[in-house]
Amino acid sequence: MMLGLAFLSFLIPRPLPRRSSLHQFSRRHLNRILFDWNEVRFQNDDENSSTKSQVGDFSTSLPPPTVTLDADDYRTIHAAKILGVCNNDTIRVGIISSHMNDGLLTDTATIEWIPQGKVKKAEPLARSGNPPGLLRIHLHNLKHAYAKSAGNGTKIGSEPISINVSLILALPRPLQLNRVLPMISQMGVDHLVLTGASKVPKDYFGSHLFRKPQLLRDRLIEGLCQSGDVRLPHMVILNQLWRLCPKDEVDETQNNNSNVLDQLFPVEEYARVVAHPLRHSENGEENNPHSHPIRMDQVQFPQQDIRKIVLAVGPEGGWLEPDELDWFVKHGFQHVTLGPRVLRSDCAVVSLLALAHLVVSCSREITNNESKQFQEIDQRNSAPARL
């Protein structure tokens, strides 16, 4: 009998040991905790408005700005359970940009736990990992997210990392929009235009995301926390595609101020691109240039020094043929495709944005290499010939 029990215990697999010790000592620095400007507190609350208007003029003699978060705030829970930080530990934080202020960031912010209630120790709870109370973050060494020229000609902040990719997106289903917005901000876009289309039901604009615009902003901030950036996309919402630009010349003469397309994306600066699956040839017209789309690396840019691109992505069924597709081509959009497959909006958006960023960055590198080659040639020609 004892031998049988021993044999059965040998066959039954034992549970794996807990790996709590690994999580206690590991740090994940992939995220950046972000704050709004109204959450930042300076030394004197009365000087908040004047200090915020002079972003970047932080005096080293004054105490650094601070942010105090409640115990039930999701950022406090993230710092306690995921990061597992203790007093005086450094974390990566940032202040989100707005229409009045630029975004700031730092990698050397220090934290301070403030216990509440019966908790006495200023550290995350041992068993549950919950925060002991309030979380105060001291924002040391704040700097601009990108270089900004000062009055004396010097630059403030880090190297400029401009976002030269914008997106025009036909509004997807609300659940899918809730999922794709963090992806868009992670990839990085300058302008985000949510527009209607013939295949987009009108009731999509009546979803809870548009009744509470803060939800849209929260989803974009979620993606920024993952990417480590602080610049929110400039969002524009249009319930009809034709509001981007007048449909015909009559409307264009009557509504000169309604040309949103030319105001946001001038044709002299932006390469306009519309994404659509391989277009079906009509009546066997193989010579139709619109029936032969190009790849992303074949896009023609109007400027060689600074490459900017705006990408129009349709609904899951694609843009309406031929009306909407011809409308884009009429307004200077180049027809690109990922192939004959019809993709979902989230898959198409991520794939096309990745290709757009790659084309812009590769074009910039090629331009820099060409300029270096020309400089070397000029130096060789200007050098005196040796006899």
Side-chain angles (χ1 to χ4, degrees), residues 3-20:
L3 292 176
L5 292 176
F7 180 73
L8 290 177
S9 63
F10 176 76
L11 293 179
I12 299 176
R14 297 180 179 180
L16 296 175
R18 296 182 62 185
R19 302 177 62 184
S20 58

mmCIF file of all heavy atoms in Angstrom, residues 3-20:
data_model
loop_
_atom_site.group_PDB
_atom_site.id
_atom_site.type_symbol
_atom_site.label_atom_id
_atom_site.label_comp_id
_atom_site.label_asym_id
_atom_site.label_seq_id
_atom_site.Cartn_x
_atom_site.Cartn_y
_atom_site.Cartn_z
ATOM 1 N N LEU A 3 3.917 1.500 -1.040
ATOM 2 C CA LEU A 3 4.613 1.606 -2.319
ATOM 3 C C LEU A 3 3.704 2.193 -3.385
ATOM 4 O O LEU A 3 4.130 2.976 -4.239
ATOM 5 C CB LEU A 3 5.125 0.228 -2.746
ATOM 6 C CG LEU A 3 6.248 -0.355 -1.888
ATOM 7 C CD1 LEU A 3 6.593 -1.766 -2.369
ATOM 8 C CD2 LEU A 3 7.482 0.529 -1.955
ATOM 9 N N GLY A 4 2.380 1.839 -3.331
ATOM 10 C CA GLY A 4 1.442 2.381 -4.308
ATOM 11 C C GLY A 4 1.262 3.877 -4.146
ATOM 12 O O GLY A 4 1.215 4.630 -5.120
ATOM 13 N N LEU A 5 1.167 4.340 -2.908
ATOM 14 C CA LEU A 5 1.033 5.774 -2.680
ATOM 15 C C LEU A 5 2.282 6.525 -3.115
ATOM 16 O O LEU A 5 2.212 7.627 -3.671
ATOM 17 C CB LEU A 5 0.751 6.036 -1.195
ATOM 18 C CG LEU A 5 -0.607 5.550 -0.674
ATOM 19 C CD1 LEU A 5 -0.718 5.784 0.827
ATOM 20 C CD2 LEU A 5 -1.742 6.249 -1.414
ATOM 21 N N ALA A 6 3.439 5.932 -2.849
ATOM 22 C CA ALA A 6 4.674 6.584 -3.257
ATOM 23 C C ALA A 6 4.770 6.672 -4.775
ATOM 24 O O ALA A 6 5.241 7.657 -5.336
ATOM 25 C CB ALA A 6 5.876 5.831 -2.689
ATOM 26 N N PHE A 7 4.302 5.604 -5.459
ATOM 27 C CA PHE A 7 4.337 5.610 -6.922
ATOM 28 C C PHE A 7 3.384 6.658 -7.489
ATOM 29 O O PHE A 7 3.712 7.367 -8.451
ATOM 30 C CB PHE A 7 3.982 4.214 -7.431
ATOM 31 C CG PHE A 7 3.998 4.118 -8.932
ATOM 32 C CD1 PHE A 7 5.201 4.108 -9.630
ATOM 33 C CD2 PHE A 7 2.810 4.033 -9.647
ATOM 34 C CE1 PHE A 7 5.224 4.004 -10.995
ATOM 35 C CE2 PHE A 7 2.827 3.939 -11.025
ATOM 36 C CZ PHE A 7 4.045 3.919 -11.704
ATOM 37 N N LEU A 8 2.183 6.797 -6.877
ATOM 38 C CA LEU A 8 1.222 7.804 -7.343
ATOM 39 C C LEU A 8 1.755 9.213 -7.094
ATOM 40 O O LEU A 8 1.582 10.112 -7.921
ATOM 41 C CB LEU A 8 -0.117 7.607 -6.636
ATOM 42 C CG LEU A 8 -0.908 6.351 -7.034
ATOM 43 C CD1 LEU A 8 -2.177 6.238 -6.199
ATOM 44 C CD2 LEU A 8 -1.268 6.399 -8.527
ATOM 45 N N SER A 9 2.389 9.440 -5.947
ATOM 46 C CA SER A 9 2.942 10.764 -5.675
ATOM 47 C C SER A 9 4.066 11.114 -6.645
ATOM 48 O O SER A 9 4.307 12.283 -6.938
ATOM 49 C CB SER A 9 3.462 10.824 -4.237
ATOM 50 O OG SER A 9 4.516 9.896 -4.062
ATOM 51 N N PHE A 10 4.745 10.096 -7.151
ATOM 52 C CA PHE A 10 5.792 10.357 -8.133
ATOM 53 C C PHE A 10 5.204 10.767 -9.474
ATOM 54 O O PHE A 10 5.785 11.581 -10.205
ATOM 55 C CB PHE A 10 6.656 9.098 -8.285
ATOM 56 C CG PHE A 10 7.713 9.219 -9.340
ATOM 57 C CD1 PHE A 10 8.856 9.964 -9.110
ATOM 58 C CD2 PHE A 10 7.553 8.598 -10.571
ATOM 59 C CE1 PHE A 10 9.830 10.082 -10.088
ATOM 60 C CE2 PHE A 10 8.509 8.719 -11.549
ATOM 61 C CZ PHE A 10 9.665 9.456 -11.304
ATOM 62 N N LEU A 11 4.031 10.192 -9.822
ATOM 63 C CA LEU A 11 3.398 10.515 -11.098
ATOM 64 C C LEU A 11 2.732 11.884 -11.086
ATOM 65 O O LEU A 11 2.696 12.572 -12.102
ATOM 66 C CB LEU A 11 2.361 9.445 -11.464
ATOM 67 C CG LEU A 11 2.913 8.042 -11.784
ATOM 68 C CD1 LEU A 11 1.771 7.098 -12.098
ATOM 69 C CD2 LEU A 11 3.892 8.106 -12.967
ATOM 70 N N ILE A 12 2.185 12.294 -9.953
ATOM 71 C CA ILE A 12 1.483 13.576 -9.879
ATOM 72 C C ILE A 12 2.509 14.698 -9.899
ATOM 73 O O ILE A 12 3.434 14.729 -9.070
ATOM 74 C CB ILE A 12 0.633 13.669 -8.597
ATOM 75 C CG1 ILE A 12 -0.430 12.556 -8.608
ATOM 76 C CG2 ILE A 12 -0.012 15.049 -8.487
ATOM 77 C CD1 ILE A 12 -1.244 12.504 -7.337
ATOM 78 N N PRO A 13 2.424 15.648 -10.851
ATOM 79 C CA PRO A 13 3.419 16.737 -10.907
ATOM 80 C C PRO A 13 3.252 17.701 -9.748
ATOM 81 O O PRO A 13 2.152 18.010 -9.314
ATOM 82 C CB PRO A 13 3.095 17.426 -12.244
ATOM 83 C CG PRO A 13 1.662 17.096 -12.506
ATOM 84 C CD PRO A 13 1.441 15.719 -11.942
ATOM 85 N N ARG A 14 4.371 18.136 -9.244
ATOM 86 C CA ARG A 14 4.355 19.081 -8.140
ATOM 87 C C ARG A 14 4.205 20.508 -8.660
ATOM 88 O O ARG A 14 4.671 20.823 -9.747
ATOM 89 C CB ARG A 14 5.652 18.970 -7.339
ATOM 90 C CG ARG A 14 5.843 17.623 -6.682
ATOM 91 C CD ARG A 14 7.142 17.588 -5.901
ATOM 92 N NE ARG A 14 7.325 16.293 -5.238
ATOM 93 C CZ ARG A 14 8.392 15.997 -4.485
ATOM 94 N NH1 ARG A 14 9.355 16.909 -4.318
ATOM 95 N NH2 ARG A 14 8.484 14.808 -3.920
ATOM 96 N N PRO A 15 3.534 21.352 -7.908
ATOM 97 C CA PRO A 15 3.389 22.752 -8.353
ATOM 98 C C PRO A 15 4.734 23.457 -8.384
ATOM 99 O O PRO A 15 5.629 23.189 -7.570
ATOM 100 C CB PRO A 15 2.462 23.371 -7.294
ATOM 101 C CG PRO A 15 2.623 22.495 -6.086
ATOM 102 C CD PRO A 15 2.875 21.111 -6.613
ATOM 103 N N LEU A 16 4.886 24.351 -9.354
ATOM 104 C CA LEU A 16 6.121 25.099 -9.497
ATOM 105 C C LEU A 16 6.285 26.091 -8.344
ATOM 106 O O LEU A 16 5.296 26.612 -7.811
ATOM 107 C CB LEU A 16 6.137 25.859 -10.824
ATOM 108 C CG LEU A 16 6.133 24.974 -12.077
ATOM 109 C CD1 LEU A 16 6.031 25.861 -13.318
ATOM 110 C CD2 LEU A 16 7.383 24.105 -12.149
ATOM 111 N N PRO A 17 7.497 26.345 -7.929
ATOM 112 C CA PRO A 17 7.705 27.312 -6.831
ATOM 113 C C PRO A 17 7.320 28.719 -7.266
ATOM 114 O O PRO A 17 7.417 29.082 -8.433
ATOM 115 C CB PRO A 17 9.211 27.207 -6.551
ATOM 116 C CG PRO A 17 9.797 26.686 -7.818
ATOM 117 C CD PRO A 17 8.750 25.773 -8.413
ATOM 118 N N ARG A 18 6.869 29.511 -6.317
ATOM 119 C CA ARG A 18 6.496 30.889 -6.593
ATOM 120 C C ARG A 18 7.734 31.698 -6.950
ATOM 121 O O ARG A 18 8.817 31.492 -6.414
ATOM 122 C CB ARG A 18 5.805 31.508 -5.380
ATOM 123 C CG ARG A 18 4.494 30.840 -5.027
ATOM 124 C CD ARG A 18 3.850 31.548 -3.846
ATOM 125 N NE ARG A 18 3.551 32.920 -4.165
ATOM 126 C CZ ARG A 18 3.066 33.791 -3.285
ATOM 127 N NH1 ARG A 18 2.822 33.411 -2.049
ATOM 128 N NH2 ARG A 18 2.834 35.032 -3.660
ATOM 129 N N ARG A 19 7.535 32.650 -7.887
ATOM 130 C CA ARG A 19 8.644 33.468 -8.361
ATOM 131 C C ARG A 19 8.507 34.894 -7.858
ATOM 132 O O ARG A 19 8.793 35.855 -8.552
ATOM 133 C CB ARG A 19 8.697 33.447 -9.885
ATOM 134 C CG ARG A 19 8.835 32.051 -10.463
ATOM 135 C CD ARG A 19 8.803 32.072 -11.964
ATOM 136 N NE ARG A 19 9.893 32.821 -12.519
ATOM 137 C CZ ARG A 19 10.055 33.056 -13.824
ATOM 138 N NH1 ARG A 19 9.177 32.584 -14.692
ATOM 139 N NH2 ARG A 19 11.078 33.764 -14.254
ATOM 140 N N SER A 20 8.020 35.001 -6.615
ATOM 141 C CA SER A 20 7.814 36.342 -6.076
ATOM 142 C C SER A 20 9.131 37.085 -5.891
ATOM 143 O O SER A 20 9.196 38.296 -6.009
ATOM 144 C CB SER A 20 7.075 36.258 -4.734
ATOM 145 O OG SER A 20 7.824 35.461 -3.818
#
